[in-house]
Amino acid sequence: MTPMKTVKDYIRTIVDFPHEGILFRDVTTLFADPRGFRIAIDQMLHPYAGQPIDKVVGLEARGFILGGAIAHQLSVGFVPIRKKGKLPGAVISEHYQLEYGEAVVEIHDDAIQPGERVLLVDDLLATGGTAAAGIRLIERLGGEITGCAFIVDLPDLGGHKRLLDMGMEVHTLCAFEGL
């Protein structure tokens, strides 16, 4: 009997992408496999089973895939956090630092109501910059973050600790050492 595959087994590593020396953890192979995708969604949901959650927020872009599936399973609404200029209508913005430069993410200013309980999801937690910006947006709208769920943690880049230091509950399915 073949051993059961873990989420990590479905993720491929691409060497030197997008830059030399980077090991890119590609979750598209996980998404493409129906069993792998189901395992990932089920495991991301598991810690929050029975908890009251009003909305799932997904970070652009792979967080949309996960967030939509998780929101469907929970029978709650889904809210995207997008890169600047991608959302129609009134938005609030949050700037954050990248390795080289700055970026901006946005959310509709009416997407989350004060007191709504929110689960933040994305595919990968690296430095935590995008997730931290998303958390600040949700909190500015009055949302209460019940947790942050990711498939992959890159612990050497410090994002997990950064979110814990912000008082967040962080759940990841697997970790890859190094960059």
Side-chain angles (χ1 to χ4, degrees):
M1 189 162 118
T2 5
M4 189 166 153
K5 289 174 82 172
T6 67
V7 166
K8 194 172 186 176
D9 295 326
Y10 290 96
I11 299 168
R12 71 176 161 191
T13 298
I14 299 176
V15 179
D16 294 332
F17 182 83
H19 306 289
E20 188 174 334
I22 302 293
L23 298 173
F24 185 81
R25 309 308 179 170
D26 181 17
V27 296
T28 63
T29 49
L30 169 71
F31 293 167
D33 186 283
R35 182 160 175 72
F37 189 54
R38 168 60 73 184
I39 291 168
I41 296 302
D42 289 348
Q43 289 181 2
M44 290 180 84
L45 278 167
H46 182 72
Y48 307 101
Q51 287 190 30
I53 295 173
D54 300 304
K55 299 263 175 72
V56 174
V57 171
L59 299 171
E60 187 164 332
R62 290 173 296 274
F64 297 172
I65 297 163
L66 298 165
I70 291 169
H72 172 76
Q73 286 295 104
L74 294 173
S75 297
V76 300
F78 171 77
V79 175
I81 289 183
R82 303 227 38 203
K83 293 175 184 168
K84 183 179 174 130
K86 300 291 185 179
L87 290 171
V91 298
I92 61 170
S93 303
E94 188 71 35
H95 295 257
Y96 66 100
Q97 293 300 310
L98 297 170
E99 186 176 350
Y100 300 104
E102 188 177 87
V104 179
V105 289
E106 297 177 327
I107 189 171
H108 280 124
D109 67 359
D110 61 353
I112 295 168
Q113 301 308 306
E116 284 189 316
R117 295 162 306 241
V118 176
L119 175 61
L120 179 76
V121 300
D122 202 3
D123 67 319
L124 186 132
L125 178 57
T127 66
T130 308
I135 289 164
R136 289 190 297 273
L137 285 171
I138 293 164
E139 289 177 339
R140 285 172 54 196
L141 292 176
E144 298 171 12
I145 299 163
T146 60
C148 302
F150 304 89
I151 294 174
V152 176
D153 182 16
L154 302 178
D156 294 344
L157 297 178
H160 197 120
K161 182 182 180 326
R162 180 179 189 174
L163 298 187
L164 291 175
D165 289 348
M166 292 176 74
M168 296 295 116
E169 177 187 311
V170 181
H171 174 64
T172 60
L173 303 187
C174 64
F176 288 92
E177 302 300 323
L179 305 177

